[in-house]
Amino acid sequence: MNEPIIELKHIKNYLGNSWVHNDLNLSVTRGEILAIVGGSGAGKSTLLRTMLMLQTPTAGTIKVFGQEITPNSTTALHYLHQHSGVLFQHNALFSSFTLLENVAFPLKEHTQLTQQTINQLALLKILAAGLTVEDANKYPAELSGGMQKRAALARAIALDPELLFLDEPTAGLDPQSAAAFDELVLNLQKTLELTIVMVTHDIDTLWQVTNRVAFLGEGRVLAIAPIAELVTINNPLLQAYFTGPRGRAIEKIYSGKKN
Ligand SMILES: Nc1ncnc2c1ncn2[C@@H]1O[C@H](COP(=O)(O)OP(=O)(O)OP(=O)(O)O)[C@@H](O)[C@H]1O
Ligand SMILES: [Mg+2]
């Protein structure tokens, strides 16, 4: 449980005339659910893209599954992409593909399986994500926002990943759907023995789902701890984030409930 599955050292990212990340260090432990929080524009989505080398950092080193990842490390990169799944912030479903075709896509790209097997596996993932056989032939535009999140999740787990990245998975969902999605993520994490790195602004999710939370600010991980500990840290940026009117209300509900 204590073995790092992702190690970021001294990561710097210079984007749009400013340092989004400036000496960022972060280690993700195998089997944990780690959340990344921080204000809008703090560099959370950029950090997920960097971990997957979808974006090359300006400086610093990235190790995933014990191997250093660089734009030229083709074998390590291929292994990384074959063993991870991503739910992007805006779902990134192919609008001209049905749900089944969307979920089948990574299986087609990364395996030599027959079309029939691919369709069967894709259907299993659709059901595992809480959607139905009838949904499989629908196009993304025919799905509600919550169903699109589930569709993106089904695609993210298509290859039975070890590592799952979720960028704001409950954004835009009503509280009940968000809670149901959290439950789904927890169940999948247990049954598939996943390591999950998720970006979220959902304070309920932090308390219900995560093992640790990393707070991003000033281009770095300013603090990383279980949520109950993180909200007590004496730092003005953390306090502004967690003890604003919304954060404080939630903290009251959960205080004493979870360590
Ligand atoms: N490709 C790019 N080119 C220029 N600037 C970029 C690029 N990608 C990200 N940025 C900038 O980097 C900063 C961090 O963006 P990022 O999307 O990572 O933020 P975030 O923490 O995910 O925010 P949000 O909570 O709003 O999703 C922003 O100021 C953004 O404008
Ligand atoms: Mg983002």
Side-chain angles (χ1 to χ4, degrees), residues 13 43 54 175:
N13 270 308
L54 298 175

Side-chain angles (χ1 to χ4, degrees), residues 27-241:
S27 180
V28 182
T29 305
R30 188 179 283 274
E32 78 171 328
I33 302 186
L34 175 79
I36 297 168
V37 301
S40 284
K44 304 179 298 296
S45 296
T46 305
L47 185 58
L48 288 197
R49 283 198 299 274
T50 304
M51 286 180 182
L52 282 156
M53 197 46 85
L54 298 175
Q55 192 166 323
T56 311
T58 313
T61 58
I62 306 167
K63 258 191 181 178
V64 191
F65 301 121
Q67 287 180 300
E68 185 159 349
I69 307 290
T70 68
N72 302 321
S73 57
T74 327
T75 314
L77 258 180
H78 183 74
Y79 186 91
L80 167 63
H81 291 155
Q82 195 153 31
H83 292 82
S84 16
V86 198
L87 186 162
F88 289 100
Q89 188 164 358
H90 301 291
N91 302 330
L93 295 166
F94 300 113
S95 58
S96 60
F97 283 8
T98 64
L99 169 54
L100 188 80
E101 288 164 347
N102 265 284
V103 181
F105 188 80
L107 289 157
K108 268 193 180 168
E109 285 272 285
H110 287 280
T111 72
Q112 307 293 323
L113 300 167
T114 64
Q115 188 63 49
Q116 195 188 5
T117 308
I118 285 177
N119 286 349
Q120 284 169 346
L121 285 174
L123 202 53
L124 280 178
K125 302 301 178 188
I126 287 168
L127 298 175
L131 295 164
T132 65
V133 176
E134 290 75 48
D135 296 329
N137 292 321
K138 292 182 181 160
Y139 288 90
E142 298 174 292
L143 303 173
S144 74
M147 290 163 85
Q148 287 183 17
K149 293 280 183 201
R150 286 173 185 266
L153 183 65
R155 190 176 63 183
I157 58 168
L159 290 166
D160 287 327
E162 288 177 52
L163 246 176
L164 183 62
F165 296 91
L166 308 173
D167 198 347
E168 302 203 23
T170 58
L173 301 190
D174 68 72
Q176 258 183 320
S177 305
F181 200 94
D182 281 350
E183 187 85 1
L184 174 64
V185 167
L186 266 180
N187 282 337
L188 286 175
Q189 191 268 339
K190 284 196 192 103
T191 46
L192 303 177
E193 296 179 352
L194 295 164
T195 304
I196 300 181
V197 180
M198 65 158 77
V199 171
T200 185
H201 288 294
D202 190 327
I203 300 206
D204 273 312
T205 301
L206 298 182
W207 287 89
Q208 296 288 4
V209 172
T210 64
N211 299 110
R212 291 193 305 159
V213 179
F215 185 90
L216 237 66
E218 298 172 335
R220 294 176 291 127
V221 174
L222 287 180
I224 180 163
I227 183 64
E229 208 176 300
L230 200 73
V231 295
T232 66
I233 292 176
N234 192 5
N235 173 299
L237 286 177
L238 269 82
Q239 287 185 343
Y241 189 89

